[in-house]
Amino acid sequence: MLGVRALFGIGLLVTSRGGSVLTHTGACAHVASNIYSKDLAHRQACTMANTIKYLGQEEAQHIDEELFNEYSFSVDQLMELAGLSCATAVSKGYPLQSLLKSPPRVLVICGPGNNGGDGLVCARHLKLFGYAPSVLYPKRPNKQLFQNLTTQCEKMDISFLTELPEWSQLFITVSVTQLCFPFGLFIFILKDEARVEHGCPDGFQPDMLISLTAPKKAANHFKGRYHFLGGRFVPPALEKKFQLNLPPYPDTDCVYQLN
Amino acid sequence: MFCSKEEAVAMETELLRDYGFGRQQLTEMLGHACATAITQVFPLASLEKRQPTVLVACGPDQNGCVGLACARHLRVFEYIPTVFIPKRSSDALHQDLRLQCERMDLPFLSYLPTEVQLINEAYNLVVDAVLGPETELASVGEPFTGVLQTLRGLKAPIASLDIPSGWDADESSSDGISPALLVSLMTPKRCALSFSGAHFLAGRFLPFDLQRKYELNLPKFSGTDAVVQL
């Protein structure tokens, strides 16, 4: 079994279509050139993103409270939309046809809080989108909501692992927890983190960040390739009240690429 | 692929009982998917009136719940939906969804004008979420018979959710509402066999083994799409 600490030594592995396993730097340079030579207009449109508000922890909590208390949303509802956003962002950043294995293996690591619930929903939608997710869910809260989400995954033939797998080929890790596992292409979903203002611990280099509802201050420290905004359910009045300045989501997309 | 009323009910029961899904979840996904289908058939740019107004008529049962979620997503997609609920519902989910629409500042009609001209002039499109396949048609009375009559006389296009209200889920209809768009929920019902307008399928959450069990043979959804055109 690979312990968490041991993984820090492996670094990030990325495979290209050629099938060979490259080191992070090499692959990053290769992929990065594709990313940055992309549509300049798209990047210019994204300058609107500069005026988006980045939330502090207290504000983020207030917004959540209002969504549930004033706007009468339920956790189930918003979690479903949030998880869908995450899966959509993953499929935009790592499209099926660009990955080596078919179906591509994805590890979804779910923490003990609501973030973990987002991860379970995300795993389910990833399965529907044609990925092959497995879930690592070491600490499960004793609430019906999470038990239901777990059942839904199990019934979709998504396996729940008891330890980290020893996959050597490309896979994506969706981490919905404060713990960080730096192997594979790596996505960190940030929502209600306790350390929301202080950024991520050392040695932790996610490739993609999906901010839910609105970006948090910690996202300023994010150096990865993809920053997506998800959770397209903010009522206009709430957006105005907190001056979120959310960008216009394209069409009916539930994600917006911030970088 | 086209299933009967009983099969549809059985499938939904299994989803809730055995697969751990919640009604709120399924309703949210279906409402979101229906709104997506509507934007594909009636894109904002194609609407003729000055404002992208849509009337969403929601009955008191599950069909109405999906309509309420759909109305909210239409608002997020920048349409201007107005909600009409002919009869208050005793269903807790319905009440919650209604509250969410109110909190999103969606206007509510207190009654549906019988003069169809008023509706045709005010709205680009009417979303029919009044009656679903679970409705016992024999027991349908006022105010629904009046609402259906008004809908039948509309010139404005209608988008029906799951089945056109007033149709029998298992049979085709000759004198009922004639929608321009039908969004089948989870799987098309038998009555849709005779439907000739734009037909979409919503409900991309059906577990694969459930699909196999009921031999649904659903078409593939592409990419991350929430709907597929049939």
Side-chain angles (χ1 to χ4, degrees):
Chain A
M1 174 201 154
L2 290 175
V4 174
R5 298 259 170 257
L7 292 171
F8 279 86
I10 291 178
L12 295 171
L13 305 171
V14 177
T15 66
S16 67
R17 284 192 141 260
S20 55
V21 176
L22 308 170
T23 61
H24 174 57
T25 331
C28 246
H30 171 73
V31 179
S33 64
N34 287 336
I35 300 292
Y36 291 110
S37 65
K38 235 164 55 163
D39 193 1
L40 193 59
H42 172 66
R43 310 206 87 228
Q44 282 164 347
C46 284
T47 55
M48 264 196 69
N50 293 337
T51 62
I52 298 179
K53 193 185 217 185
Y54 281 57
L55 302 174
Q57 189 186 348
E58 247 189 72
E59 248 183 329
Q61 272 171 355
H62 285 322
I63 290 179
D64 259 4
E65 276 158 21
E66 275 210 40
L67 281 169
F68 297 130
N69 299 335
E70 301 297 318
Y71 290 87
S72 232
F73 286 109
S74 73
V75 177
D76 307 54
Q77 262 174 313
L78 300 189
M79 202 170 269
E80 192 68 28
L81 296 174
L84 177 63
S85 290
C86 294
T88 306
V90 168
S91 61
K92 281 192 190 288
Y94 313 101
L96 283 172
Q97 53 272 38
S98 76
L99 300 173
L100 190 61
K101 258 191 167 291
S102 178
R105 290 193 278 192
V106 181
L107 175 64
V108 184
I109 305 178
C110 300
N114 280 354
N115 245 198
D118 294 336
L120 292 174
V121 176
C122 174
R124 188 171 18 93
H125 285 283
L126 283 174
K127 180 84 186 226
L128 291 166
F129 292 164
Y131 295 79
S134 299
V135 174
L136 190 67
Y137 196 19
K139 233 180 152 186
R140 307 180 190 194
N142 201 5
K143 278 198 211 157
Q144 193 63 50
L145 168 66
F146 300 100
Q147 285 163 5
N148 290 344
L149 291 174
T150 304
T151 305
Q152 292 159 27
C153 282
E154 286 169 341
K155 291 288 206 170
M156 289 279 291
D157 288 327
I158 296 171
S159 51
F160 280 71
L161 308 176
T162 47
E163 56 186 33
L164 291 165
E166 296 195 27
W167 297 336
S168 57
Q169 291 169 340
L170 172 69
F171 54 84
I172 304 163
T173 303
V174 180
S175 171
V176 268
T177 175
Q178 289 165 300
L179 296 176
C180 315
F181 299 96
F183 50 75
L185 289 176
F186 176 14
I187 303 134
F188 176 47
I189 299 175
L190 184 67
K191 192 179 154 208
D192 292 320
E193 298 299 327
R195 289 178 284 172
V196 115
E197 309 222 8
H198 305 293
C200 312
D202 292 329
F204 165 57
Q205 294 294 339
D207 196 49
M208 174 187 285
L209 173 64
I210 303 154
S211 293
L212 295 171
T213 314
K216 317 300 179 296
K217 288 204 170 118
N220 284 317
H221 302 281
F222 176 67
K223 295 188 199 69
R225 282 186 296 162
Y226 300 109
H227 186 191
F228 278 88
L229 176 67
R232 189 178 179 179
F233 45 67
V234 181
L238 186 66
E239 189 188 339
K240 214 183 264 176
K241 174 172 178 179
F242 286 87
Q243 294 172 309
L244 298 179
N245 291 322
L246 295 176
Y249 285 82
D251 219 28
T252 56
D253 284 8
C254 56
V255 293
Y256 179 92
Q257 189 161 358
L258 290 169
N259 70 343
Chain B
M1 179 169 62
F2 294 77
C3 79
S4 71
K5 218 186 320 195
E6 282 80 31
E7 283 173 313
V9 169
M11 239 188 312
E12 190 161 324
T13 307
E14 274 201 57
L15 278 172
L16 299 175
R17 186 191 62 209
D18 302 332
Y19 285 81
F21 283 102
R23 253 189 85 205
Q24 203 144 47
Q25 239 179 332
L26 299 184
T27 307
E28 192 66 26
M29 284 192 275
L30 289 170
H32 169 260
C34 288
T36 307
I38 290 169
T39 65
Q40 290 193 23
V41 178
F42 304 101
L44 281 171
S46 75
L47 301 180
E48 287 177 355
K49 311 218 187 296
R50 212 165 35 91
Q51 303 270 38
T53 52
V54 180
L55 178 63
V56 186
C58 303
D61 300 322
Q62 179 59 14
N63 206 247
C65 288
V66 178
L68 289 169
C70 175
R72 190 171 17 87
H73 283 282
L74 282 173
R75 176 69 186 90
V76 169
F77 295 157
E78 299 189 15
Y79 290 72
I80 299 180
T82 295
V83 178
F84 171 58
I85 297 181
K87 188 175 176 185
R88 272 199 178 275
S89 175
S90 54
D91 173 28
L93 176 59
H94 197 282
Q95 290 165 0
D96 280 344
L97 290 166
R98 180 197 176 127
L99 202 56
Q100 289 160 20
C101 285
E102 287 173 359
R103 299 274 193 268
M104 290 272 283
D105 293 323
L106 300 192
F108 278 66
L109 285 187
S110 49
Y111 72 95
L112 189 68
T114 44
E115 263 205 55
V116 291
Q117 190 55 20
L118 292 174
I119 303 175
N120 291 333
E121 280 171 8
Y123 304 103
N124 292 278
L125 145 78
V126 176
V127 177
D128 158 36
V130 182
L131 303 176
E134 68 277 0
T135 309
E136 285 295 330
L137 285 177
S139 66
V140 173
E142 287 298 342
F144 305 108
T145 36
V147 171
L148 293 187
Q149 192 164 353
T150 305
L151 292 183
R152 268 198 294 272
L154 285 182
K155 276 221 185 68
I158 297 176
S160 286
L161 305 192
D162 212 9
I163 61 167
S165 293
W167 287 35
D168 183 316
D170 290 334
E171 291 166 14
S172 62
S173 168
S174 50
D175 61 349
I177 294 176
S178 191
L181 163 64
L182 175 63
V183 187
S184 289
L185 305 183
M186 292 198 286
T187 177
K189 315 301 176 289
R190 290 228 178 101
C191 63
L193 276 165
S194 61
F195 179 69
S196 53
H199 189 188
F200 280 70
L201 176 65
R204 191 179 177 172
F205 46 75
L206 282 184
F208 301 125
D209 63 345
L210 193 67
Q211 291 185 35
R212 277 191 293 271
K213 175 177 177 177
Y214 286 88
E215 292 172 354
L216 295 182
N217 294 320
L218 298 176
K220 271 199 76 171
F221 290 81
S222 71
T224 59
D225 288 357
V227 292
V228 57
Q229 184 156 15
L230 297 177

